[in-house]
Amino acid sequence: MQNPSSYVHSNIAGFVNLLEICKNANPQPAIVWASSSSVYGLNTKVPFSEKDRTDQPASLYAATKKAGEEIAHTYNHIYGLSLTGLRFFTVYGPWGRPDMAYFFFTRDILKGKPIPVFEAANHGTVARDFTYIDDIVKGCLGALDTAEKSTGTGGKKRGPAQLRVFNLGNTSPVPVSDLVGFLERLLKVKAKRMVMKLPRNGDVQFTHANISYARKEFGYKPTTDLQTGLKKFVRWYVSYYGSGKKSHQ
């Protein structure tokens, strides 16, 4: 909300720049790119399936990712580019993004700082379909391995080309309060929770992936539950940043 143009710059302008280069390349590459589970927006049918509507984005970020999917359709249709969009569901793990909740929860719990835990209206649960990085990587490789060649040459389409979108999730949403509980046990520190109402700034109450299409097309099968994945993340975090706890030596 503070810097809307950054999303437009990366997800729309950046994506178009990439497609412009690819359409003129000879041979044209096949492209696998990152869409987002946020495109499901205010969709209430769960689990989210690739056939569901994605025309109600709840944030500008989601709207730019949805725009990317439409732009992919255009370049596929006009230039014969083979395009596969992957809708990632709350990816976490070692070397993750410090602005993601699981990451800064870990940092702030270790520092003894309070963490914001959101709840929906009427004390409703906020849950996410957390997907471990190794499972996402397997999905990316599956999409690459099954991507067909683009059909254009010299910027001209010679025949219909592949156009796909896949959910890559874990299929088991976990309440954010449970995530905090797992972190408390792994870090052996009690979190200072500040329970707050979910703001109307674009975060949705829950996400839940139906992954049957990716399973059918390239055998996508996530194997890491949140507890196991967080254990690996915390091990990495402490080895990389230190525990931040005072030493008694």
Side-chain angles (χ1 to χ4, degrees):
M1 290 171 85
Q2 289 168 351
N3 187 6
S5 60
S6 67
Y7 289 140
V8 176
H9 182 71
S10 297
N11 296 342
I12 299 179
F15 191 41
V16 169
N17 287 341
L18 181 76
L19 296 177
E20 279 293 313
I21 296 292
C22 292
K23 80 163 206 239
N24 291 322
N26 215 347
Q28 291 175 336
I31 301 157
V32 175
W33 65 283
S35 182
S36 164
S37 59
S38 68
V39 300
Y40 291 108
L42 303 178
N43 190 4
T44 52
K45 178 187 152 296
V46 288
F48 301 156
S49 162
E50 292 89 350
K51 293 187 178 70
D52 294 345
R53 62 187 293 186
T54 51
D55 58 353
Q56 314 167 84
S59 65
L60 179 66
Y61 172 78
T64 62
K65 285 297 194 180
K66 169 65 173 174
E69 293 187 357
E70 305 304 324
I71 290 164
H73 181 278
T74 306
Y75 275 78
N76 169 272
H77 174 68
I78 299 174
Y79 302 110
L81 281 176
S82 165
L83 282 147
T84 302
L86 303 176
R87 294 174 175 169
F88 297 136
F89 282 73
T90 317
V91 184
Y92 73 98
W95 304 100
R97 277 172 35 199
D99 61 323
M100 297 275 284
Y102 75 91
F103 200 114
F104 67 76
F105 281 0
T106 301
R107 182 189 69 213
D108 290 348
I109 290 170
L110 287 171
K111 286 183 179 168
K113 284 187 178 172
I115 58 169
V117 179
F118 292 115
E119 63 176 24
N122 304 322
H123 305 289
T125 303
V126 173
R128 291 287 176 272
D129 196 344
F130 295 97
T131 316
Y132 189 62
I133 182 62
D134 293 15
D135 289 326
I136 289 288
V137 168
K138 283 183 206 149
C140 292
L141 293 173
L144 285 162
D145 289 343
T146 54
E148 293 172 4
K149 287 186 161 64
S150 292
T151 60
T153 47
K156 284 196 175 61
K157 182 178 180 179
R158 309 288 171 191
Q162 188 179 49
L163 181 69
R164 305 182 296 173
V165 173
F166 292 107
N167 288 338
L168 292 188
N170 199 46
T171 74
S172 52
V174 177
V176 172
S177 52
D178 291 9
L179 163 75
V180 177
F182 291 150
L183 288 173
E184 286 177 320
R185 286 202 284 285
L186 290 164
L187 298 166
K188 299 181 175 60
V189 183
K190 193 99 184 95
K192 295 178 180 148
R193 303 181 190 217
M194 284 186 307
V195 178
M196 299 161 84
K197 285 270 164 284
L198 191 66
R200 286 189 175 275
N201 68 353
D203 255 341
V204 293
Q205 188 175 342
F206 54 82
T207 59
H208 185 182
N210 175 337
I211 57 164
S212 53
Y213 182 40
R215 188 185 300 125
K216 179 167 84 67
E217 292 298 306
F218 46 83
Y220 174 67
K221 191 172 178 291
T223 55
T224 314
D225 65 19
L226 184 59
Q227 229 170 324
T228 307
L230 283 177
K231 191 173 180 179
K232 292 178 178 179
F233 167 71
V234 165
R235 194 178 299 147
W236 169 82
Y237 184 96
V238 170
S239 72
Y240 191 79
Y241 289 103
S243 70
K245 295 179 196 167
K246 295 281 180 285
S247 161
H248 296 297
Q249 292 167 355

